[in-house]
Amino acid sequence: MMQADWQEFERAHVWHPYASMQNPLAVYAVKSAAGVHLQFEDGRKVIDGMASWWCAIHGYNVPELNHAIEVQLGKMAHVMFGGLTHAPAALLAERLLSLAPSGMKQLFFADSGSVAVEVAMKMALQYWQAQGRSEKTKLLTINHGYHGDTFGAMGVCDPLAGMHHLFADMLPQHYFAEAPTAQTDDQWDDSQISSFRQLIEAHHDEIAAVILEPLVQGAGGMRFYAPEFLRQVRELCDCYDVLLIADEIATGFGRTGTMFACEQAAVAPDIMCVGKALTGGYMTLAAVLCTANVSAGIHADGHGVLMHGPTFMANPLACCVALASIDLLLASSWQQRVQAIEAQLEQELAPCRQSERVKDVRIKGAIGVIEMVDSIDIEPLQKQLIAKGVWLRPFGHLLYTMPPFVISTTELSQLTSAMCDVVT
Ligand code: PMP
């Protein structure tokens, strides 16, 4: 098929994320990608300011990552994980557990972030069942969260911005506290946690776990919150016998300036989900890490097996590229890079604060967010950005970037100046 023909076919037959089949938004065909650039089929080249939705921290077509996959491909692409195992899974498990916050001792490999969240919830529910506390079936979270699109995960996404209204009758009912508004510990006062405290005090007997995105709420609104909130959540969970699940799927692997966002609050969760940048954006893979207390607790009644087992669990290609991606990250000066990106985003997006159309500009690690007063008309804005050589995907009131860590200062300036131009 010629390019024009397959694009036409695709438009008529293939769904895109959160899109209409009858009236789809424009999509751009990508021919190849290298470094921080996407090469479109029509010859245009753009800087990827999204890192493919948080994933491509090393950029594209990375020799070390290509090599890892090629070597593994010569051995085996995939085998089932039921009853079989392999070195890539074992080595990746060792690396992940050694990097994770203290106390993480066991892990489960899932095949996507949403599935990891489902597994994390099952771990928490099975843990309490095995303790003879089967009444603990609810989750507690905060508004503006996002944890994935499967049913369990949707049940803890923001009740207004999420998809609750579409599936209200089918979603399990959980508890939602007000999200903190303090972005830093300087802005903290105890009223920030009062809604959360009230809910956990009143309902801890039925609450199995708290689930949160540590410090940065992503797809639910690109909001940042003070580490103090997370510290107090940890204390309240301990006080009321509730497990803490940290969803580090977006924040993991350096994005917020530390390897995991939890570290900035010196908090260790009971269960932690990772995904997205785990494979450097090469393949789909996620993992759910937990403490020895959780894994032993699931077995406390003598026969607790964790009831999950996806077909592509611990795919060897994905495990190998994840290991190579983590090694590449650790061998780089990623902390300095993320700090430098943070400083440059702060300096170059700051002028947007002067615009009446802009409500807020916020930066954390290698994440830059411009929140507009009015909601954004995505298609024309995206066209303008592409004309300036930049790929971004705004949503709602938000124009934001989380670029690959390997972006150069010149490339980042092109990105920020395009952002400033289109919002002011
Ligand atoms: N949790 C968080 C915090 C996420 O940002 C996402 C993806 N946007 C998910 C879970 C779901 O991951 P996936 O899209 O891989 O299912």
Side-chain angles (χ1 to χ4, degrees):
M1 254 198 261
M2 303 288 290
Q3 189 210 326
D5 295 338
W6 70 248
Q7 275 192 255
E8 198 177 314
F9 182 89
E10 200 259 4
R11 196 169 167 80
H13 296 278
V14 181
W15 254 295
H16 279 263
Y18 316 104
S20 155
M21 197 74 260
Q22 306 309 321
N23 183 24
L25 284 177
V27 295
Y28 298 86
V30 183
K31 188 176 183 180
S32 62
V36 297
H37 290 101
L38 308 179
Q39 177 76 57
F40 287 172
E41 289 276 5
D42 65 12
R44 288 181 291 180
K45 200 167 118 178
V46 288
I47 295 173
D48 180 11
M50 302 297 288
S52 280
W53 274 339
W54 310 84
C55 296
I57 51 175
H58 309 294
Y60 298 91
N61 211 345
V62 183
E64 293 87 342
L65 304 191
N66 292 359
H67 179 71
I69 292 199
E70 281 156 13
V71 170
Q72 181 55 36
L73 199 51
K75 298 178 186 166
M76 63 184 165
H78 182 65
V79 288
M80 64 191 278
F81 210 55
L84 301 174
T85 191
H86 42 78
L91 298 176
L92 176 59
E94 192 276 328
R95 192 76 92 258
L96 273 175
L97 292 169
S98 69
L99 274 184
S102 69
M104 299 287 117
K105 284 290 179 291
Q106 276 83 29
L107 68 76
F108 183 99
F109 284 116
D111 44 3
S112 74
S114 301
V115 172
V117 168
E118 301 287 331
V119 172
M121 292 176 177
K122 279 190 187 176
M123 278 184 184
L125 295 178
Q126 286 196 231
Y127 174 87
W128 290 114
Q129 272 176 22
Q131 312 300 304
R133 304 203 47 192
S134 49
E135 72 286 0
K136 278 168 97 66
T137 58
K138 299 281 183 203
L139 293 150
L140 168 59
T141 185
I142 53 175
N143 292 336
H144 306 293
Y146 176 83
H147 298 282
D149 292 346
T150 51
F151 271 84
M154 276 197 296
V156 285
C157 289
D158 183 80
L160 295 176
M163 290 167 278
H164 287 239
H165 59 291
L166 286 175
F167 307 107
D169 296 342
M170 277 117 92
L171 288 180
Q173 300 301 304
H174 296 302
Y175 291 109
F176 290 85
E178 275 166 34
T181 51
Q183 290 190 29
T184 61
D185 286 348
D186 298 344
Q187 297 162 5
W188 181 264
D189 67 76
D190 279 343
S191 69
Q192 297 281 325
I193 191 125
S194 56
S195 153
F196 183 94
R197 183 190 297 278
Q198 273 165 17
L199 285 172
I200 200 167
E201 278 173 3
H203 303 290
H204 59 91
D205 281 344
E206 347 154 37
I207 296 174
V210 165
I211 181 164
L212 293 173
E213 296 155 279
L215 305 198
V216 175
Q217 296 184 288
M222 298 301 293
R223 293 164 51 97
F224 307 151
Y225 65 84
E228 183 60 20
F229 184 77
L230 204 55
R231 277 192 286 275
Q232 298 206 9
V233 164
R234 176 73 271 183
E235 278 171 26
L236 288 166
C237 286
D238 290 341
C239 175
Y240 288 107
D241 259 357
V242 169
L243 297 173
L244 176 59
I245 304 172
D247 177 350
E248 290 260 8
I249 290 167
T251 46
F253 305 101
R255 178 59 65 183
T256 66
T258 45
M259 186 56 76
F260 299 103
C262 281
E263 292 168 28
Q264 290 173 48
V267 156
D270 300 291
I271 300 172
M272 180 169 110
C273 302
V274 295
K276 288 190 182 279
L278 170 60
T279 63
Y282 265 56
M283 299 192 64
T284 176
L285 182 72
V288 189
L289 288 63
C290 71
T291 59
N293 175 49
V294 169
S295 64
I298 290 171
H299 298 266
D301 60 359
H303 57 265
V305 294
L306 183 63
M307 286 309 289
H308 215 92
T311 307
F312 284 98
M313 178 171 178
N315 171 263
L317 289 174
C319 288
C320 270
V321 76
L323 200 54
S325 174
I326 292 173
D327 286 348
L328 192 57
L329 185 65
L330 294 177
S332 73
S333 47
W334 62 271
Q335 271 157 312
Q336 285 95 310
R337 274 308 304 147
V338 171
Q339 271 167 24
I341 292 171
E342 181 172 42
Q344 196 180 342
L345 285 171
E346 181 54 52
Q347 191 182 353
E348 295 180 356
L349 294 181
C352 299
R353 294 196 175 100
Q354 309 309 320
S355 166
E356 281 174 7
R357 296 174 58 208
V358 171
K359 187 170 166 198
D360 188 31
V361 174
R362 45 188 183 265
I363 318 292
K364 184 159 190 68
I367 309 167
V369 182
I370 302 177
E371 184 173 339
M372 306 295 291
V373 174
D374 298 320
S375 80
I376 294 172
D377 194 356
I378 298 177
E379 218 167 47
L381 196 88
Q382 219 165 30
K383 250 193 202 142
Q384 280 177 274
L385 289 161
I386 289 170
K388 294 173 187 297
V390 163
W391 173 249
L392 291 169
R393 188 178 154 94
F395 74 86
H397 294 68
L398 302 164
L399 177 66
Y400 63 104
T401 181
M402 53 279 195
F405 299 165
V406 295
I407 195 165
S408 71
T409 45
T410 323
E411 289 159 345
L412 188 54
S413 287
Q414 187 181 338
L415 188 63
T416 54
S417 77
M419 289 173 79
C420 293
D421 284 355
V422 298
V423 299
T424 51

